Each structure stands twice: as C-alpha cells, then as structure tokens.
Amino acid sequence: MRDVAVIGVGMTKWGELWEKSLRTNFVETALLAIEDAGVDRIDSMIVGCMSSGLFTGQEHLASLLADYLGKTPVPAARVESACASGGLALRQGFIEVASGMSDIVLVGGIEKMTDVNGHEATFALGTAADQEYEGYHGLTFPALYAMMAVAHMHQHGTTREQLAMVAVKNHANGSKNPLAQYPFKISVDDVLCSVLVADPLRILDCSPITDGAAAVILCPADMARSMKKPAVRIIGTGQATDTIALSSRKDPSWMESTHVAAGKALEMAGLAVKDINLFEVHDCFTIAEIMITEALGIAEKGRGGRAVEEGLTAVDGKSPVNPSGGLKAKGHPVGATGVAQAVEVVKQLRGEAAERQVKNARRGLTQNMGGTGGSSVVHIFEAD
Amino acid sequence: MRDVAVIGVGMTKWGELWEKSLRTNFVETALLAIEDAGVDRIDSMIVGCMSSGLFTGQEHLASLLADYLGKTPVPAARVESACASGGLALRQGFIEVASGMSDIVLVGGIEKMTDVNGHEATFALGTAADQEYEGYHGLTFPALYAMMAVAHMHQHGTTREQLAMVAVKNHANGSKNPLAQYPFKISVDDVLCSVLVADPLRILDCSPITDGAAAVILCPADMARSMKKPAVRIIGTGQATDTIALSSRKDPSWMESTHVAAGKALEMAGLAVKDINLFEVHDCFTIAEIMITEALGIAEKGRGGRAVEEGLTAVDGKSPVNPSGGLKAKGHPVGATGVAQAVEVVKQLRGEAAERQVKNARRGLTQNMGGTGGSSVVHIFEAD
C-alpha cells in the first residue's frame, strides 16, 4: 500500500443554512479544499452522506455533486454508515489512494438536515437504529443514549455534573471556532437547567441538527511533499462494526466498535494512545464522549467522567479532546462530521488553528461513529 | 495493486418477496456466496443499495447486515450510486482487495422495493434524477428514457419493433433462468400491444420493481487458486460520471459515462471489445440496451437497434448480451443488479450456466448504470 497524505482541507460555516442548497454548499466547500491543496485536477471523489434521500429526496448523490463541481466524468462514490459516513468516506478515499487506483482524491461529507420538519428529521436520524427492533417501538437516539448514560452512572458512578462538563468544555473550545454553529460558552448550571429531553439527558447534552459540509484532498505521500501546504500523513485507519441494536450488546456502557477500530488504527500506526496529542471524537451526546474516552484508552474503563472533571481532556490537558468544539458546539451535519474532524486535525497539525491551537501538536486522532456505536471509524494523522 | 478474483457467488430467487425482510434476504444470499467460496471467514463487507432509507426506513445498512450475518466487528461499508450501487460495491471491494487492506471481501447488493406502494416506489426511484431540475417538474424514469428513445429513433432511425426485440431476446434468455422474476417468453406483438407507459415505451419495455439480493466473495488472485471453485479474475474496472440531468447532455441518445467507463476497463485489461465473449448490461428500459450496445462498441453508433434485429446480441450471436435475462426478465432490485451481473458472468465463465450457457465463454463484461447514465460502472472478468 502507498502512504497517503492530506494536502488540502475545506470547511464552510455550519448552521441552519436555508440560503444554501445541498449542492451549492458542497461545491463551495469542495472548492475551498481544492484551493487549499493547490491542485488543478481531481482523479476521483468519495462523498459521505447519511440520508440525502430522507432529508432532501435526492439519491445518486455523488454523481450530482461531481456534475455541479464541474468534474464529470471522474468516478464518484457515495458511502453511508449513518453518522459515521464522513469517516467512512475518508477511509474509502485512503484505500483508493493507497491502492494506486487514483492519485488525487476529493473526500467530502455533507448533510442538509433543516429542510424537513422536526418529526421528519427525528425519523431520518432514527433510521440509524434497528428499525424493526428499536425504531418501530418508538426509540429515538436521545432515548438510546439516555439508557447508555443511566447504565454508565449506575455501573461507574458517573455524575450528572460530569456529563454537563463535557458540554461546557466543548462549548468553551467551540467559542473559538468561527465556523461552529454555536460558538458560545455555557456553564454547568446552563446544562443542568436546560430542557429535559430523555432523562438524564437535557437539550444541552445533545448535539444539534445542522446543515454543513467539509472536504479534504488526499494524494500519495510522495506527491504530497511538493504541494502548496505542509502535508499531513494518515498513518492509521481502523473500522469496526457492533450489533446495531443496543439491546444486543453485552454492556451498553462500553463502546466496543470504537475500541476495536482504534486498536486497528494504532496497530497500523505503530503507536499507543499516549503518543497522540489531540483527539476529535463523536460527542453526539455528552455521555458518548465519556464512553469514547474510555474506549480509546485516554481514561480507564469507568473513569471517563473523572477525566473531563479533572481537566485531562481540556485543550491544555494531557489528552485534548474536541478542540474544534466537537459535535456539541460545532454542529453535527451527520454525513459531514467525520470529514470535519479530519479538517480540524489537519489544521491543528499545520499550526493553523489560531485561538484553539493545541501546543506542540504532532499527531492527532479522529473517531467517528454511527448510531449507538453500530459502526466506528478511527484515523490517525501525523505532521509530515 | 494486487490481482483480484471472484471465488464465490450467491443469488436467491427474485420477485415480490413479501415473506422475506431486507435483512433475511441479504443473509440468505450472502451465506450462499460464502458456502460457494468455501471460506470460513470474511475480512470486510461492501454493500450496494440505492435507497433503503426511502424503501424501508433503514439506513446504517452495512452495520445492520454485518450484525445479522453474525460477522461483527468486521468493517462494513454501504455504497450508493442509484441503480449502479451494486457495480460500485464491486469496484470498492476490488479496490479494497487490490490495495492489500483486506483479503477476503464480501460484496453484496440488495434492494427491498415492494414494501411501499407504487407512488412511493416511483418517488424513491426518481431520486436518482436531479430532484431540483427534473423530479420537481414531474419527470419519472420511464419519461426520461422515453425522451432518449424518441431522440434515438429520430437521429438513427431506430424502430419501435427493434425496441421490442430487446425485451423479446431478454425474456427468451430469462426463461432459462430459474432465479428470474419473470422467467417466460414474450413476442414482439406482446410488447407492442402492452400498456403504454411513456410514449414510445410500453410496460414490456420496462424492467420491473423487484425485491432481490446478490453476493460475491473476492480475494487476491494468488489465494484464489487454492479455493473450492475455479477462480474468475477481475482484470478491468472502470467508473465514470456524466451530468445527472438529461437536459444537460450534448446528445441524449448517447451514453457517454458507459463509453468512458468501458474505455478505462478495457485499457486496464489490455483488451478490445471484440475479445469479450459475453455481456451483462443495464437494460432498465429496452432503449437503454440499444444505447449501451453502442457505447460499449458492440455496435457502431446508431446501429444498436439493428444489432438486436440481426441477432448479433443473441445468446448464440457474435456478442451475447444479457444471457441471464437482463433487468427486463430477471428483475431489477436496483442496488442488487450490479452484483447479480457479476454472479451471472462468473457462472458463465465457470460453465455453470446450464441451459443459458454461452459457448466457449472465457471473458465477460458487466455494465451497470445509475439514473439516465449519470454514473456507469464496467468490469471485465476472465476465467483463471
């Protein structure tokens, strides 16, 4: 396999983008990545998107976007793994460059979620769960993660306040990210007094509904060294599945697919988790970040709540998690999230993260997840 | 890149399968392929499906299927390119094995289309067109292909009877395929007297709505030689996009994406179209097969109608097209079609096609297409 590097990144402001269609938002974002890379062509496109069918009535998505980007007849593939669609797109792009099939590959992620009403959005997101055994019985994702939170609190003594601290940390980071949907700080009290969604989770424990896109350009590492910006190599990739229904898991408070995917990525990179300087992880709900912290090995099993309380995962802590603001503050356009994580890590490793820059960042890890952890994708990046 | 071979194939009976759910149909089919290959593990899964979201309210599809196949935590990816989703899955699986990332990869295709009503199915299929410029104005796929047929008849003198002959040929072939949805013969008169759908296309010019699945197992060619069944190598792959909206094309009677994809696949294989012994192509409508025949170079531009009339594409002709019965008679569960084409070619190259066996078949080609040709995927297979 050839070594692969990221040579360009692009991201536009996230939020309720009623003035931009699916296609215009993607094209604008992809052009930023192409400009950043300084390339005059792309050989292939991979697009991550969870459900353009249910959110916008549009499938055949990659061809549409290749067309509107003016890049036909390049090969274009859409990939889907629910909220891990963006991470999966990055992995498929990595494999395509590593294989020698294509040299310069555009990896994009997009979701346009606010053109439907709340009921429709909840249904569309619910299709990431097992429809026959979960969805049909009325389970939604806040309800599923609430059960995971209760299990974690029961087994490990995780506190309601520790959950809130995840949101507080990520909003503090996100307040320094001009592209974030909600770039403002909140307090623990704000979280604890916010509207109850599914006990114990409140609205400020939940990532929002977002329109957004992100893109990166990949090429072989050898070629990357002659490009405009400093190259960032992808030195590890791991992907894993788990049972799609939460009720089938041995332990609903443990994120096995993330643990397996991270193990593979670290093994490929020849590194341990202590060698990583920053993490962008899938905090779709506050409890998720706590469980991921444990599954990645940043904290011991059951100690994810304490990790955030003790500042281990703060930007100036030992293992900074979500310097971008995470899904909580940056927003969560589901198919775009995994690609945006890569955008943030690349900016950090290039030293371009401005006010939210992690000091001496040389290696970063992204963890993107579908459903309640039915799929996870992990990548490890290193400054070249 | 490593050489890649198909070592197992599986397909179950297609039709209106109200007794089988999406997941049970996939698992049954995948197990046939695993049994045919004689492998005791798979390292990764790629699943092609156009719109499980709109047809069944289920996304996160690859994880669901990995779970129900009992294969977690293997990596599992779903890919989508409308009706070319199956062909795209094969290509992504090929790249994954060629890269060295995985050895034994299960490539599956599935669509469950009959759990919704006719209006909903027409809407779901219509999402393969440009929703903003085609769908919203009421265009459906029969209407789009009818315009292509009119253009072809106007420019090249293709006759109404020649269109019918495509359906007659494919039903004659399909009558020998026990897994086909409609395994019976029809006559030119049957086609000409069938219900008008979108002038000049009648119901017997159109492929049906189908539930179905297909699967193949890939591995490196070196490893394939020690397997249970004779290996069939994939010696060429090509993928291309075109404008998604028909109105943006220079010539609506010419299938450019197929022409480009086939050119790439043939170049990779070091072959010319005359070296291919049989073809499985995307006859979603009779006019499509005529246009594809031309785009592949089986017939000269404008002579696709004559090719079928003169028997060039019959099973005992110079260039047999759709010995399986094609989409017309076999059925068209959109995401499964591209994988089923590979199943047929592998069976033909192994000499396992029974009554529909093409004589002296050594090399075969599959052509799978999305929308009105907004994407095409071509593969070339050779008996090892």
Side-chain angles (χ1 to χ4, degrees):
Chain A
M1 297 205 299
R2 302 194 293 184
D3 287 338
V4 179
V6 183
I7 53 168
V9 298
M11 186 172 151
T12 40
K13 174 78 176 171
W14 285 7
E16 291 188 37
L17 307 178
W18 294 354
E19 76 285 9
K20 290 184 195 175
S21 72
L22 180 75
R23 65 187 77 183
T24 54
N25 194 20
F26 182 86
V27 168
E28 189 183 333
T29 308
L31 288 176
L32 285 180
I34 290 170
E35 170 67 23
D36 189 55
V39 292
D40 58 3
R41 72 168 212 274
I42 58 168
D43 301 326
S44 179
M45 278 172 63
I46 313 271
V47 179
C49 181
M50 173 177 167
S51 193
S52 54
L54 290 167
F55 282 119
T56 61
Q58 179 71 64
E59 306 283 12
H60 210 183
L61 186 68
S63 287
L64 177 89
L65 299 177
D67 181 8
Y68 277 81
L69 192 57
K71 294 297 178 191
T72 60
V74 297
R78 175 218 176 174
V79 299
E80 183 266 320
S81 188
C83 305
S85 298
L88 179 59
L90 185 64
R91 180 174 161 92
Q92 297 299 122
F94 173 90
I95 293 172
E96 187 158 338
V97 174
S99 74
M101 180 64 79
S102 301
D103 284 336
I104 303 177
V105 174
L106 169 67
V107 173
I110 186 153
E111 211 81 46
K112 176 76 176 156
M113 303 174 75
T114 72
D115 284 358
V116 294
N117 64 37
H119 172 77
E120 291 167 328
T122 299
F123 175 79
L125 289 168
T127 64
D130 186 324
Q131 272 294 17
E132 295 181 18
Y133 292 96
E134 296 183 317
Y136 289 180
H137 298 279
L139 273 170
T140 61
F141 274 93
L144 287 160
Y145 275 93
M147 290 195 282
M148 297 158 88
V150 169
H152 206 276
M153 293 164 97
H154 176 72
Q155 287 185 47
H156 304 300
T158 302
T159 66
R160 184 44 275 204
E161 287 72 18
Q162 288 169 345
L163 294 176
M165 288 169 195
V166 172
V168 171
K169 167 179 73 68
N170 290 350
H171 269 280
N173 295 348
S175 70
K176 297 173 182 167
N177 185 348
L179 301 179
Q181 182 172 13
Y182 295 130
F184 51 74
K185 293 182 182 179
I186 58 172
S187 67
V188 168
D189 268 0
D190 288 338
V191 181
L192 298 184
C193 297
S194 66
V195 171
L196 191 64
V197 176
D199 192 29
L201 300 179
R202 294 173 178 271
I203 191 80
L204 288 179
D205 288 295
C206 309
S207 59
I209 299 279
T210 312
D211 298 328
V216 303
I217 310 281
L218 306 181
C219 81
D222 291 346
M223 184 188 286
R225 293 186 184 111
S226 59
M227 292 292 170
K228 189 172 152 186
K229 290 280 184 86
V232 170
R233 280 180 301 134
I234 300 178
I235 58 173
T237 177
Q239 185 193 0
T241 49
D242 196 357
T243 68
I244 190 162
L246 186 60
S247 58
S248 306
R249 308 254 173 93
K250 282 181 201 162
D251 180 356
S253 76
W254 174 249
M255 203 59 85
E256 180 67 12
S257 65
T258 291
H259 185 66
V260 174
K264 287 186 199 170
L266 287 165
E267 185 186 352
M268 186 172 169
L271 296 174
V273 73
K274 67 174 173 52
D275 303 319
I276 309 293
N277 308 120
L278 74 137
F279 302 81
E280 282 285 317
V281 312
H282 197 92
D283 59 321
C284 49
F285 297 91
T286 48
I287 182 62
E289 182 172 311
I290 288 175
M291 289 171 63
I292 294 160
T293 306
E294 298 172 16
L296 293 176
I298 296 170
E300 285 176 33
K301 185 171 179 178
R303 308 275 290 193
R306 291 206 193 180
V308 63
E309 185 169 5
E310 292 166 0
L312 181 71
T313 55
V315 165
D316 57 358
K318 188 180 156 204
S319 300
V321 172
N322 282 330
S324 72
L327 286 56
K328 179 67 203 77
K330 192 172 55 185
H332 183 28
V334 288
T337 284
V339 181
Q341 292 176 329
V343 171
E344 177 69 13
V345 166
V346 168
K347 283 187 180 174
Q348 290 279 356
L349 299 187
R350 283 181 183 171
E352 293 177 352
E355 278 190 83
R356 62 186 191 283
Q357 181 67 47
V358 172
K359 284 182 191 156
N360 305 317
R362 177 162 161 71
R363 297 192 192 102
L365 178 151
T366 58
Q367 179 271 351
N368 187 203
M369 194 161 78
T372 52
S375 59
S376 288
V377 188
V378 172
H379 284 95
I380 299 171
F381 302 76
E382 184 174 74
D384 201 33
Chain B
M1 295 207 300
R2 301 194 291 186
D3 286 340
V4 179
V6 183
I7 53 169
V9 299
M11 187 172 151
T12 40
K13 174 79 177 171
W14 286 6
E16 291 187 38
L17 308 178
W18 294 353
E19 76 285 10
K20 290 184 195 176
S21 71
L22 179 75
R23 65 189 76 183
T24 54
N25 194 20
F26 183 86
V27 167
E28 189 183 334
T29 308
L31 288 176
L32 285 180
I34 289 170
E35 171 67 23
D36 189 54
V39 291
D40 58 3
R41 72 168 212 273
I42 58 168
D43 301 326
S44 179
M45 280 173 60
I46 313 271
V47 179
C49 181
M50 173 176 167
S51 194
S52 55
L54 290 166
F55 283 118
T56 60
Q58 181 70 64
E59 307 283 11
H60 210 182
L61 185 68
S63 288
L64 177 89
L65 300 176
D67 181 7
Y68 277 82
L69 193 57
K71 294 298 180 191
T72 61
V74 297
R78 175 217 175 174
V79 299
E80 183 266 321
S81 188
C83 305
S85 298
L88 179 59
L90 185 64
R91 179 173 161 92
Q92 297 300 122
F94 173 91
I95 293 172
E96 188 159 337
V97 175
S99 74
M101 179 64 78
S102 301
D103 284 336
I104 303 178
V105 174
L106 168 68
V107 173
I110 186 153
E111 211 81 45
K112 177 75 178 155
M113 302 174 74
T114 73
D115 285 358
V116 294
N117 64 37
H119 172 77
E120 290 166 328
T122 299
F123 175 80
L125 289 168
T127 63
D130 187 325
Q131 272 294 16
E132 294 181 19
Y133 291 96
E134 296 183 317
Y136 288 179
H137 298 281
L139 273 169
T140 61
F141 274 93
L144 286 161
Y145 274 92
M147 290 195 282
M148 296 158 87
V150 169
H152 205 276
M153 293 164 97
H154 176 72
Q155 286 185 47
H156 304 300
T158 302
T159 66
R160 185 43 275 204
E161 287 72 17
Q162 288 169 344
L163 294 177
M165 289 169 194
V166 173
V168 171
K169 166 180 73 68
N170 291 349
H171 269 280
N173 295 347
S175 71
K176 297 174 184 167
N177 185 348
L179 301 179
Q181 181 172 15
Y182 295 130
F184 51 74
K185 293 181 181 180
I186 58 172
S187 69
V188 168
D189 268 359
D190 288 337
V191 181
L192 298 183
C193 297
S194 66
V195 171
L196 191 63
V197 176
D199 191 29
L201 300 180
R202 293 172 179 272
I203 192 78
L204 288 179
D205 288 294
C206 308
S207 59
I209 300 279
T210 311
D211 300 326
V216 303
I217 310 280
L218 307 181
C219 80
D222 290 346
M223 184 187 288
R225 292 184 186 110
S226 60
M227 293 292 171
K228 188 171 152 187
K229 291 281 184 86
V232 171
R233 281 180 300 134
I234 301 179
I235 58 172
T237 176
Q239 184 194 1
T241 50
D242 196 357
T243 68
I244 190 161
L246 186 61
S247 58
S248 305
R249 309 253 172 94
K250 283 181 197 160
D251 180 355
S253 76
W254 175 249
M255 202 59 83
E256 179 68 12
S257 65
T258 290
H259 184 67
V260 174
K264 287 186 200 171
L266 287 165
E267 185 186 351
M268 186 171 169
L271 296 174
V273 71
K274 67 173 172 51
D275 302 319
I276 309 292
N277 308 118
L278 75 136
F279 302 81
E280 282 286 316
V281 313
H282 199 92
D283 60 321
C284 48
F285 297 90
T286 49
I287 182 62
E289 181 171 313
I290 288 175
M291 289 171 63
I292 294 161
T293 306
E294 298 172 14
L296 293 177
I298 295 170
E300 285 176 32
K301 185 172 180 178
R303 310 273 290 193
R306 292 206 192 180
V308 63
E309 185 168 8
E310 291 166 2
L312 181 70
T313 55
V315 164
D316 57 359
K318 188 180 156 204
S319 300
V321 172
N322 282 330
S324 72
L327 285 57
K328 180 66 202 79
K330 191 172 53 184
H332 182 27
V334 288
T337 285
V339 181
Q341 292 176 329
V343 171
E344 177 70 13
V345 167
V346 168
K347 284 187 180 172
Q348 290 280 356
L349 299 188
R350 284 182 184 171
E352 295 177 352
E355 278 190 84
R356 61 186 192 283
Q357 182 67 48
V358 173
K359 284 182 193 158
N360 304 317
R362 179 163 159 69
R363 297 193 193 102
L365 178 150
T366 58
Q367 179 271 352
N368 187 204
M369 192 161 79
T372 52
S375 60
S376 287
V377 187
V378 172
H379 285 97
I380 300 172
F381 303 76
E382 185 173 74
D384 200 33

